[in-house]
Amino acid sequence: QVQLVESGGGLVQAGGSLRLSCVAPGRNDFSNYPMGWFRQAPGKEREFVGSISRDGGNTVYVDSVKGRFTISRDNAKKTVYLQMNSLKPEDTAVYYCAGSWEVGGSGDKYDYWGPWGQGTQVTVSS
């Protein structure tokens, strides 16, 4: 069955904002696990965007999105969010959320995370 369901992608002009959501419907112990966000642009490898600790107290981000993107979570809703502000055309990609209960869930390598959401397209026009 589906373990992570993403939503919130779309088309936005440069400088605009989007908020992505990722829900773990059947994960009753959701609060036990760090969550991550990755993205993949056409012709490029999947790139680490950021991650958030179990209680939301600690977040890390790739340098290119620091100050613009914010990861948060609502454990009661089993949901992690990616708030994206001041979007740039180079942010255009398919965005994936990742759990940490199939694999370790640590660092910036996609092999260290799982399961994965289905991906949601974010397109930023200039």
Side-chain angles (χ1 to χ4, degrees):
Q1 63 179 351
V2 176
Q3 297 194 65
L4 295 170
V5 181
E6 299 182 41
S7 62
L11 192 154
V12 65
Q13 292 187 342
S17 298
L18 286 173
R19 188 179 74 162
L20 308 184
S21 299
C22 175
V23 183
R27 199 79 231 180
N28 294 133
D29 58 350
F30 180 75
S31 63
N32 290 342
Y33 299 100
M35 296 290 292
W37 285 97
F38 290 74
R39 64 187 181 184
Q40 188 164 21
K44 297 184 178 180
E45 294 186 348
R46 192 167 299 187
E47 175 191 27
F48 175 77
V49 175
S51 63
I52 187 167
S53 61
R54 297 167 182 82
D55 64 355
N58 288 286
T59 52
V60 296
Y61 303 93
V62 67
D63 285 345
S64 61
V65 308
K66 286 180 180 177
R68 300 188 298 120
F69 290 11
T70 302
I71 301 172
S72 61
R73 66 192 296 163
D74 185 338
N75 287 334
K77 295 182 178 179
K78 304 176 184 178
T79 302
V80 63
Y81 304 96
L82 179 64
Q83 178 68 48
M84 303 182 291
N85 299 326
S86 301
L87 282 161
K88 304 175 180 179
E90 52 263 45
D91 295 318
T92 295
V94 177
Y95 283 71
Y96 299 90
C97 67
S100 58
W101 53 90
E102 288 188 351
V103 192
S106 179
D108 62 353
K109 303 294 185 181
Y110 68 82
D111 285 346
Y112 298 164
W113 294 85
W116 292 88
Q118 83 279 10
T120 184
Q121 177 71 48
V122 172
T123 302
V124 184
S125 63
S126 59

